[in-house]
Amino acid sequence: MLPLLIFFLIQQNPTYALGTWTKYGATLENTHLQYMKGAMFSAPDVKWSYWAGGMIESYGATVADINKDDTMEVVIGSTDNKVYCFNGITGGIKWSYTIGNVYTSPAIVDVDKDDTMEVTVGSYDNVVYCLNGITGGIKWSYVTGGHIVSSPAIVDVDKDDTMEVVIGSLDSKVYCFNGVTGGIKWSCLTGDQVISSPAIADVDKDDTMEVTVGSCDNIVYCLNGITGKTKWSYITGEAIFSSPAIADVDKDDTMEVVIGSLDKKVYCFNGATGGIKWSYATGETILSSPAIADVDKDDTMEVVIGSDDNKVYCFNGITGGIKWSYQTFGDIHRGVSIADVDMDNKFEILVPNYDTYSLFCLNGEDGSLLWKKQLAPDVHDITIADIDNDGCVELVTGTRDYNAIWALDDISNSTNCGCMAVDEKWNEATSRLGGDQISKIEIIKNKIYLSVPNNDYTNIRLTIYDLCGRLKEVVYSGVLSKGNYTFTPNIRNNGIYFVNLSLGTHKQTQKLIILK
């Protein structure tokens, strides 16, 4: 068993949250990435906070409108043996559920197609729990053979029209469960404990989902999503706590897998073969997980990751060369998050820090410091979301000391900040990826028709925003294979809206007019 102190250093991450493209696990790129803007021109204020009975070792809160009341809920775990669900506006508790200590983050997905969101989370009592998102009552559970500090990824990995829950355990296994029943579909035995959280994508274009994950046996595994059998593996120099990120970082029309290791290196692998494309040795161990985005709008993807050498690094995704680095005064063992938090139509990098008790906000173009917010020792992964329906993003995080959950907002309580995904210049830059062989949306009589002509990009996000830039609905977020699909928006009020399609680096926006 790893000593408890190790869990204060583990970098694990959850799946997607409704309206917040900020999670590891089920997302294709696995970036802590958000397209809605904020108005944090300076360090934010505390909007609300909650002092729990134990450390908030959860690696990022999850945000969703769970009960469809047009109010966001914030779900997060704690080492006081509880999962909490908060009202995003007030911070009041809606429900809590007692399980074992929670070192990981929940996933919020309708796993059983009952039109109700479920909260799925792993626990230190060796159990994977699936809870009713509205009431917090248990729907199913499964007892593994070890503590769970990996976070679940939820995707239909085997194309049976049923969601699967994929998660690692300290019993040295990766598990795949039926999301409806909790029955086990397969498990894969690695050589040591699995702390890393899985990433799921079709990395080799074989029309089958792969599960990519690291292990404490020093190995990165790529597993067949249907069978759980190993497709390729790579041995690094030390154990792997980091969670993989998947994206075409070098524009070779092939997915890459990026991950850190305790051997101090960042690795970039060919997703199809597992062959190494580049690596970089930092000055210390890497527990942090990578975020991937074009942070400086140079039409090239960047990889951003922290290290225990107290630095955050930004790498050129093609070459692995350093574009910039920023020196803090404490190790960076959590994942960074990316968003335009100050409405300048440019990405900022949010960096949680251990020793300085602080959250750093860096310029994505050059890594210069924009502001710093002091909270408490060991600031954790930052969830970026509009938790109060004001059209601007807030920040949610937990800290080890003070046992605190923090919701941060801009000092002016700004509204209607907008969204980079519907920004004209942003769309012009990304529209160059267009053509006949990309997915497209058409809107006819309040229905959204989606065409997926190939399997190059299989993780689809359809979101709807109003004219003020406020997220109204996530129509779909998950994996789709080649084909044609029809979606009916659940928008209650008449008006003009924007439907945003995002897959890989391609984005498209269409106007939606609701008249009932």
Side-chain angles (χ1 to χ4, degrees):
M1 181 188 302
L2 293 177
L4 184 60
L5 178 61
I6 286 293
F7 294 109
F8 300 157
L9 305 176
I10 293 170
Q11 165 60 41
Q12 285 309 109
N13 307 285
T15 62
Y16 84 99
L18 188 66
T20 64
W21 302 352
T22 57
K23 304 300 184 187
Y24 292 96
T27 55
L28 185 62
E29 293 106 331
N30 269 5
T31 55
H32 277 52
L33 181 62
Q34 170 64 272
Y35 287 102
M36 182 179 277
K37 299 177 181 180
M40 299 172 195
F41 309 108
S42 59
D45 281 341
V46 176
K47 179 181 181 67
W48 55 260
S49 60
Y50 180 84
W51 270 248
M55 299 173 294
I56 310 303
E57 284 290 329
S58 181
Y59 300 90
T62 310
V63 178
D65 181 5
I66 296 178
N67 55 4
K68 299 181 181 179
D69 62 353
D70 292 325
T71 299
M72 289 293 186
E73 282 76 44
V74 176
V75 183
I76 196 167
S78 170
T79 62
D80 63 359
N81 303 327
K82 288 183 180 179
V83 178
Y84 291 93
C85 179
F86 298 96
N87 180 297
I89 298 175
T90 66
I93 294 179
K94 303 195 85 167
W95 56 260
S96 66
Y97 186 82
T98 300
I99 55 179
N101 287 343
V102 180
Y103 293 97
T104 180
S105 294
I108 302 178
V109 181
D110 182 3
V111 295
D112 56 8
K113 296 185 178 181
D114 64 349
D115 202 32
T116 299
M117 292 286 198
E118 283 76 44
V119 173
T120 307
V121 66
S123 170
Y124 203 66
D125 63 3
N126 304 1
V127 182
V128 180
Y129 293 89
C130 181
L131 309 176
N132 181 297
I134 297 176
T135 66
I138 192 164
K139 300 197 80 168
W140 58 259
S141 63
Y142 184 93
V143 180
T144 71
H147 308 315
I148 299 171
V149 294
S150 173
S151 297
I154 300 180
V155 172
D156 181 3
V157 296
D158 55 8
K159 297 183 180 179
D160 63 351
D161 201 33
T162 300
M163 288 291 190
E164 280 77 45
V165 176
V166 184
I167 195 169
S169 171
L170 297 193
D171 65 2
S172 305
K173 289 183 180 179
V174 179
Y175 290 88
C176 179
F177 301 102
N178 180 300
V180 178
T181 65
I184 192 166
K185 302 196 87 167
W186 55 258
S187 66
C188 173
L189 180 65
T190 69
D192 206 335
Q193 300 165 331
V194 180
I195 292 170
S196 173
S197 293
I200 301 175
D202 182 1
V203 297
D204 56 7
K205 296 185 179 180
D206 65 349
D207 202 29
T208 299
M209 292 294 107
E210 282 77 44
V211 174
T212 309
V213 69
S215 173
C216 288
D217 61 2
N218 308 355
I219 298 177
V220 180
Y221 291 88
C222 181
L223 310 176
N224 181 298
I226 298 175
T227 66
K229 302 296 183 183
T230 301
K231 301 194 78 168
W232 59 258
S233 62
Y234 184 93
I235 303 175
T236 71
E238 290 289 347
I240 300 169
F241 288 9
S242 176
S243 298
I246 300 174
D248 181 3
V249 298
D250 56 8
K251 295 186 175 180
D252 64 350
D253 201 33
T254 301
M255 290 295 177
E256 282 76 46
V257 177
V258 183
I259 197 168
S261 170
L262 298 191
D263 66 5
K264 306 180 183 180
K265 290 183 180 180
V266 183
Y267 291 89
C268 179
F269 302 103
N270 180 300
T273 66
I276 193 165
K277 304 197 93 169
W278 56 260
S279 67
Y280 183 89
T282 68
E284 254 302 340
T285 56
I286 299 177
L287 298 94
S288 176
S289 298
I292 300 176
D294 182 1
V295 299
D296 55 9
K297 293 190 177 181
D298 64 349
D299 205 29
T300 299
M301 297 291 261
E302 283 78 43
V303 174
V304 187
I305 193 169
S307 170
D308 282 1
D309 64 4
N310 302 349
K311 289 183 180 179
V312 57
Y313 293 86
C314 179
F315 298 101
N316 180 298
I318 298 175
T319 66
I322 292 181
K323 302 196 81 168
W324 55 258
S325 65
Y326 180 84
Q327 176 81 53
T328 70
F329 296 97
D331 65 73
I332 304 166
H333 57 268
R334 307 297 182 190
V336 302
S337 299
I338 300 173
D340 178 8
V341 298
D342 58 8
M343 296 178 63
D344 64 352
N345 204 40
K346 299 176 182 178
F347 278 127
E348 285 74 51
I349 313 299
L350 298 170
V351 183
N353 195 250
Y354 180 79
D355 296 296
T356 66
Y357 307 178
S358 298
L359 166 64
F360 292 81
C361 181
L362 308 180
N363 184 310
E365 294 179 304
D366 59 15
S368 58
L369 178 65
L370 296 176
W371 52 258
K372 183 172 70 172
K373 177 70 175 180
Q374 190 171 41
L375 292 172
D378 196 4
V379 180
H380 290 232
D381 290 56
I382 310 300
T383 297
I384 310 170
D386 180 9
I387 65 174
D388 59 3
N389 298 333
D390 64 358
C392 299
V393 295
E394 289 76 43
L395 311 178
V396 182
T397 187
T399 54
R400 176 171 60 87
D401 284 3
Y402 301 172
N403 303 339
I405 300 158
W406 309 83
L408 309 177
D409 202 353
D410 66 273
I411 60 176
S412 301
N413 293 315
S414 302
T415 60
N416 305 327
C417 293
C419 177
M420 289 188 75
V422 297
D423 181 86
E424 182 177 357
K425 292 182 180 179
W426 182 257
N427 276 329
E428 287 176 358
T430 57
S431 66
R432 291 183 299 229
L433 296 172
D436 293 334
Q437 295 303 310
I438 62 172
S439 297
K440 296 180 179 179
I441 50 174
E442 296 291 340
I443 298 174
I444 304 174
K445 294 182 180 180
N446 293 353
K447 290 187 180 295
I448 303 170
Y449 296 88
L450 170 65
S451 172
V452 182
N454 53 53
N455 289 298
D456 289 348
Y457 298 100
T458 51
N459 199 83
I460 304 291
R461 297 180 185 280
L462 277 176
T463 52
I464 299 177
Y465 288 81
D466 65 15
L467 289 176
C468 297
R470 292 173 296 204
L471 179 72
K472 303 304 293 184
E473 182 181 358
V474 173
V475 181
Y476 186 84
S477 180
V479 176
L480 290 176
S481 58
K482 181 178 179 179
N484 297 313
Y485 302 87
T486 303
F487 300 94
T488 302
N490 187 29
I491 299 295
R492 302 174 184 176
N493 299 322
N494 292 340
I496 299 175
Y497 302 87
F498 289 108
V499 178
N500 298 324
L501 167 68
S502 175
L503 66 162
T505 55
H506 170 63
K507 298 168 183 66
Q508 181 188 353
T509 299
Q510 290 276 3
K511 184 185 295 184
L512 170 66
I513 301 176
I514 299 292
L515 293 174
K516 297 181 180 179

